[in-house]
Amino acid sequence: MDLKNMTAKEVHDCIMKHSKSISDDEWLEISDWIDKFLKSNPPPEEKKMFVPLGCAEIVCIVCDGIMRWRNSICIKCKKQKGNPECHCKIYPENEKHTGIPNEIWAREDAQCPYFEEES
């Protein structure tokens, strides 16, 4: 995605019409672009497309989810979900984190609901 050569309207339309095809890294790039754009004191009609209650809130929510997912850690094996090479030890060794139920990763404190203390 070439954000440097896109207008505010093009970025807005991309977010609103093509959100399902935007990759995680592209969402983070869009967030950076919006931050820089808003700091540049844009015209009010362009600024309204993003804030308040514009697509900047959508981008913020999506990016928050991406960062929580990338930073989450399984309490059992202490592996990060965002690292594709990690394997969780409560599931078969050949199963990647992508196959682990989201409930394990969805909690900020990384408390796995399937975790049982070993006695």
Side-chain angles (χ1 to χ4, degrees):
M1 183 174 295
D2 187 19
L3 293 170
K4 291 179 184 177
N5 295 321
M6 294 174 76
T7 66
K9 175 82 170 119
E10 290 171 334
V11 172
H12 174 269
D13 290 347
C14 179
I15 294 165
M16 301 308 286
K17 295 177 182 173
H18 305 289
S19 63
K20 294 194 187 274
S21 63
I22 299 173
S23 72
D24 289 356
D25 289 331
E26 288 173 330
W27 278 114
L28 297 172
E29 286 178 35
I30 290 170
S31 177
D32 289 341
W33 183 92
I34 291 173
D35 287 342
K36 290 175 188 170
F37 171 75
L38 293 174
K39 288 177 183 174
S40 72
N41 197 19
E45 60 276 359
E46 288 185 0
K47 190 174 180 178
K48 281 184 192 177
M49 290 187 283
F50 298 96
V51 291
L53 303 175
C55 64
E57 280 77 9
I58 294 168
V59 172
C60 183
I61 291 167
V62 170
C63 289
D64 180 62
I66 291 167
M67 294 312 296
R68 285 176 186 264
W69 179 84
R70 286 184 175 181
N71 293 326
S72 60
I73 299 172
C74 177
I75 195 162
K76 177 78 172 180
C77 66
K78 309 293 187 222
K79 303 277 183 163
Q80 278 194 315
K81 175 157 180 160
N83 182 348
E85 298 304 312
C86 289
H87 301 279
C88 182
K89 292 181 180 166
I90 64 172
Y91 289 90
E93 197 63 35
N94 62 351
E95 189 171 332
K96 297 246 186 216
H97 277 287
T98 54
I100 297 172
N102 284 334
E103 308 89 77
I104 292 175
W105 314 105
R107 301 173 70 178
E108 191 169 355
D109 61 1
Q111 295 295 317
C112 172
Y114 303 110
F115 177 71
E116 294 178 12
E117 279 295 330
E118 294 178 12
S119 319

